[in-house]
Amino acid sequence: MNHFFKVKSLEEVKSLIKEFSPVGSETIPVCDAFSRILASDLIAPKDMPGFRRATMDGYAVVSSSTFGASESSPAWFDIVGTILMGEIPDFDLAPGQAAKISTGGMLPKGADSVVMVEHTELVDDVSVEIYKSVAPLQHVIDASEDFAKQDTVLSKGTLIRPQEEGLAAGLGFARIEAYKIPRVGIISTGDEIIPIEEEPAPGKIRDINSYTLAGFIKEARAIPVRYGIVKDDLVALKAAIKKALDETDMVLLSGGSSVGTRDFTIDALSSLPDTKILVHGMSVSPGKPTILAKAGKKPVWGLPGQVVSAMVVLKIVVIPFLNMLKGLAQKDRTIRIPAKLTRNVSSAQGRRDFVRVLLEKKDNQLLAKPVLGKSGLIRTMIHADGLLEIGDHVEGLEKGTLVDIILL
Ligand SMILES: Nc1nc2c(c(=O)[nH]1)N[C@H]1C(S)=C(S)[C@@H](COP(=O)(O)OP(=O)(O)OC[C@H]3O[C@@H](n4cnc5c(N)ncnc54)[C@H](O)[C@@H]3O)O[C@H]1N2
Ligand code: MOO
């Protein structure tokens, strides 16, 4: 049965993210936390660093005793001790007294700043001259300056970069709660598609989409699971989708998403139990014949077969859904950089266009050169560094326009 497209805008499709929920969570060692998503808030159990700490080598002092000190009129201080690294000083400091301290050392009680050794001159073993005044807390990190006890230092949904991993480690969290890494099933469809190991007979082509889609899924730090190639056969397609749904958190099909007599994706999905078609057609080019279904609680995508269209739809629409499944609070992490368009580009009203562009630097200016060619030509993606998004109500863009490019 053929169903004609009832196109939805890109925003309407993206708004369907709310139909789905993140995968479950698990406890993992903090050393494996890089690139994972935090599944519960991280609360500081103590102040960080927890003590007043020198950031320069020199002398711990009471800052008010240094006021007015200068090259011509140095202030005189009594040296009352040396602070050992990692030890609590066993003396307090009064105005007019100084203690030798190294970077990272703990200031004694009473001291509120450190004078750099370069701004001092040792008079003898017990006295030092100071040539520069210091302000309160100068050259020190205070006890709760990084984070205070009970602060929410990282919120649920945060992407753990090296700095977040370091913070969790610094606070003593040996294990953290992270969302599981979603598994994404990938199925290529079409009687003309053959495995890459085979020599294509006339009319056949090797499977490209399984590889490009898996690459983008890996780039998004999820796990691709390839289910190979399925012929244009309703029964075989249904079986493959069911298996992928049992074993993964989201399924991607490519090919057969249009309205031709051999396009079975919509029929296969419609006949699955507990499955609702949410999208069949999107006002995006390339990528119009996109399908989104909700099978049980899981998203299933029917991506256009054309190699470029499948990649563009994955990058623009599927990745924000994947980010939600991953538990990421910030679903859209698309990086855009400004560049100047090198030629006029036309676009249809009522449709969101994504134009492949090559980026080139000339006279300190980044130029965006449209890469022309059909959506079945993978070379247009090979030569492209980014995508230029043209709004639904824009008829085209003129040469010289400053545009934002989505990096590929
Ligand atoms: N009457 C209409 N026909 C088409 C429309 C339309 O609006 N009305 N839209 C066109 C657009 S746009 C696209 S894109 C394609 C998408 O169609 P399908 O998703 O059904 O994809 P197929 O027909 O199966 O394949 C299209 C093309 O891509 C090749 N392909 C498929 N899978 C792979 C793969 N894994 N690796 C490499 N290449 C693949 C396939 O051989 C075809 O050449 O529909 C238009 N038609
Ligand atoms: O819009 Mo179709 O998705 O290539 O060319």
Side-chain angles (χ1 to χ4, degrees), residues 238-290:
K238 266 178 75 173
I241 301 172
K242 268 190 184 158
K243 182 170 164 56
L245 274 169
D246 280 347
E247 297 172 353
T248 65
D249 303 294
M250 174 164 81
V251 178
L252 307 177
L253 294 133
S254 75
S257 64
S258 192
V259 290
T261 47
R262 308 293 300 163
D263 294 332
F264 287 122
T265 305
I266 202 85
D267 292 340
L269 288 171
S270 306
S271 62
L272 285 179
D274 191 20
T275 300
K276 206 165 58 175
I277 306 292
L278 303 178
V279 178
H280 187 200
M282 191 167 67
S283 51
V284 168
S285 177
K288 182 181 165 195
T290 292

Side-chain angles (χ1 to χ4, degrees), residues 93-204:
L93 216 67
Q97 294 183 329
K100 283 187 189 165
I101 196 164
S102 302
T103 304
M106 181 180 192
L107 270 72
K109 270 207 190 93
D112 67 350
S113 54
V114 170
V115 180
M116 288 165 71
V117 71
E118 296 90 317
H119 301 142
T120 68
E121 177 120 13
L122 205 57
V123 179
D124 53 39
D125 283 353
V126 291
S127 28
V128 62
E129 280 185 336
I130 285 175
Y131 294 99
K132 205 167 176 190
S133 66
V134 281
L137 297 182
Q138 195 167 343
H139 305 319
V140 302
I141 289 175
D142 214 357
S144 60
E145 194 171 327
D146 232 352
F147 292 104
K149 184 177 173 175
Q150 292 305 320
D151 276 356
T152 300
V153 294
L154 296 174
S155 312
K156 177 181 170 174
T158 300
L159 168 68
I160 302 173
R161 303 169 299 168
Q163 48 271 53
E164 281 79 23
E165 185 171 333
L167 169 61
L171 285 170
F173 291 99
R175 299 174 77 75
I176 58 151
E177 194 64 15
Y179 286 103
K180 290 184 178 161
I181 304 176
R183 291 162 56 82
V184 181
I186 298 173
I187 303 170
S188 281
T189 72
D191 288 342
E192 77 284 22
I193 312 297
I194 58 159
I196 61 164
E197 297 77 14
E198 293 177 18
E199 197 55 43
K204 307 275 190 196

